[in-house]
Amino acid sequence: MSKLLEVRDLTKRFESGGGLFSKPRSMHAVNGVSFDLHKGKIVGVVGESGCGKSTLARLILRLIEPTSGSLCFKGEDLMAKSAAQMRALRKEMQMVFQDPYSCIDPRYTVAQAISEPLQIHGLSKDLDLNKEVAQLLEKVGMNPALADSYPHQLSGGQKQRVSIARALALNPSLLVLDEPTASLDVSVQAQIISLLEKLRDELDLTYLFISHDLSLVEYFCDEIIVMYLGKVVEHLPDTNTPAQHPYTRTLLDSTFEPDPNKRREITALEGEVPSPFNLPPGCSFAARCQHSTSLCHEQVPPLEVQGSHRVACHHPLVAS
């Protein structure tokens, strides 16, 4: 199976300017992330808020510039591309943002929002835009009669469908989905996930799916990348592989189980999340981990194969 995207040691450091009584500080929002995304697959990226998921998504499309690392898309080095070259390449790499309420210009009709990418990339001259918009709306399960509607006249689910239709307008091969269901009701979330599954099969799409909901990622994705404070702490090659990192296991234990016969006691995490501006030595999860030892507080665990997959932990848990 061919590699569509290769990410190697991707890092983004943000600088905070000092004030009258403070010194400049820096933080690693994304720190040395590496993975491959194969054609036709769905790779999920999961973690708590602030772990660097959304920053990773924007780095991959070069909406923000990495501090270091490499990105290859279809064998092409994205870091060597100029702004004009990246603009042309983004026809094949599109993003669906988390908030459907703010990612569509309220002054645009649905038709204008969906046709805008075609106009920006100079593809509108040879197309019947009204017909193209109608086909895209039908593709995402919307009535073409809504083409003249404005965003305030649509529900949250309809807005997200418009965002997906706009992303599909340029026939991309990769969609980066940044928590596309987070702001929607549960029933609407299920509809959007079903739509994404259908589009993947029909259009041979590849997804990078970012979420804080591990149960959703388990259901929807082929592989799972778990991030904590900018680093990958575990990379599960499939959803059947037992988690070995204490943080991943905690995320799994905290997911809601609707079957009362499967309810279990949850051990709450103790301690505070370290400041990303002042990370402690060793493992950044050590202060909250009940399995940590002095080694964990002194040495950063490398992300390496332990058993069946890659885990960044000095004391990986035994599969249960």
Side-chain angles (χ1 to χ4, degrees), residues 259-284:
D259 186 346
N261 296 320
K262 296 181 180 179
R263 300 279 172 87
R264 66 274 185 192
E265 293 293 329
I266 298 175
T267 303
L269 286 176
E270 297 181 356
E272 297 292 329
V273 179
S275 167
F277 288 101
N278 186 28
L279 290 177
C283 175
S284 55

Side-chain angles (χ1 to χ4, degrees), residues 224-239:
I224 301 176
I225 293 171
V226 183
M227 292 185 66
Y228 186 76
L229 287 176
K231 288 187 175 183
V232 175
V233 296
E234 188 160 16
H235 187 168
L236 299 167
D238 56 63
T239 55

Side-chain angles (χ1 to χ4, degrees), residues 40 47 89 91 105 277:
L89 197 56
K91 287 188 291 185
D105 194 321
F277 288 101

Side-chain angles (χ1 to χ4, degrees), residues 11-314:
T11 298
K12 178 62 180 180
R13 185 175 64 250
F14 288 106
E15 305 291 340
S16 173
L20 183 62
F21 299 105
S22 61
K23 297 180 180 179
R25 300 187 299 169
S26 66
M27 63 166 284
H28 283 89
V30 173
N31 193 353
V33 172
S34 300
F35 66 93
D36 295 328
L37 180 52
H38 292 85
K39 191 177 188 305
K41 291 292 186 179
I42 305 177
V43 171
V45 181
V46 71
E48 295 173 291
S49 296
C51 71
K53 305 185 302 293
S54 294
T55 302
L56 176 64
R58 286 159 174 75
L59 288 172
I60 287 172
L61 296 183
R62 276 190 63 194
L63 298 178
I64 56 177
E65 292 297 322
T67 303
S68 61
S70 65
L71 291 164
C72 285
F73 179 73
K74 290 187 174 180
E76 296 189 57
D77 182 4
L78 297 187
M79 302 305 296
K81 301 291 184 183
S82 65
Q85 291 171 325
M86 277 302 304
R87 191 176 301 113
L89 197 56
R90 284 198 188 101
K91 287 188 291 185
E92 297 190 62
M93 309 165 63
Q94 290 291 300
M95 187 165 181
V96 177
F97 294 91
Q98 175 179 349
D99 185 6
Y101 296 87
S102 61
C103 69
I104 303 174
D105 194 321
R107 299 168 298 176
Y108 281 12
T109 64
V110 168
Q112 289 172 319
I114 293 176
S115 61
E116 184 183 25
L118 296 168
Q119 296 170 336
I120 289 174
H121 287 271
L123 303 175
S124 59
K125 298 177 183 178
D126 302 324
L127 294 173
D128 181 341
L129 286 183
N130 291 331
K131 181 179 179 181
E132 192 72 18
V133 168
Q135 289 176 343
L136 286 165
L137 286 174
E138 289 178 344
K139 195 173 289 184
V140 297
M142 288 185 68
N143 189 335
L146 293 171
D148 293 327
S149 301
Y150 285 89
H152 72 272
Q153 297 173 303
L154 304 177
S155 67
Q158 288 174 323
K159 288 187 182 76
Q160 196 61 291
R161 288 175 188 267
V162 171
S163 298
I164 295 170
R166 183 174 58 183
L168 295 176
L170 299 172
N171 296 316
S173 53
L174 170 65
L175 280 188
V176 177
L177 306 163
D178 185 10
E179 303 210 42
T181 63
S183 60
L184 306 176
D185 292 338
V186 174
S187 60
V188 181
Q189 288 182 16
Q191 294 171 15
I192 295 298
I193 291 299
S194 296
L195 171 64
L196 291 171
E197 288 179 320
K198 180 173 75 76
L199 292 172
R200 176 204 182 189
D201 295 335
E202 289 179 356
L203 304 177
D204 193 25
L205 293 169
T206 303
Y207 295 150
L208 182 68
F209 184 78
I210 292 168
S211 178
H212 63 272
D213 187 342
L214 189 52
S215 60
L216 177 59
V217 169
E218 275 192 298
Y219 165 77
F220 185 58
C221 300
D222 300 309
E223 301 176 29
I224 301 176
I225 293 171
V226 183
M227 292 185 66
Y228 186 76
L229 287 176
K231 288 187 175 183
V232 175
V233 296
E234 188 160 16
H235 187 168
L236 299 167
D238 56 63
T239 55
N240 296 317
T241 301
Q244 292 181 262
H245 197 284
Y247 176 64
T248 310
R249 192 72 65 85
T250 302
L251 289 180
L252 285 168
D253 288 344
S254 66
T255 56
F256 175 69
E257 179 55 67
D259 186 346
N261 296 320
K262 296 181 180 179
R263 300 279 172 87
R264 66 274 185 192
E265 293 293 329
I266 298 175
T267 303
L269 286 176
E270 297 181 356
E272 297 292 329
V273 179
S275 167
F277 288 101
N278 186 28
L279 290 177
C283 175
S284 55
F285 186 64
R288 306 172 71 194
C289 180
Q290 59 181 333
H291 305 283
S292 64
T293 63
S294 59
L295 175 65
C296 304
H297 292 273
E298 296 169 359
Q299 296 183 17
V300 177
L303 182 66
E304 59 186 8
V305 175
Q306 302 196 37
S308 61
H309 62 283
R310 295 193 299 159
V311 186
C313 183
H314 291 303

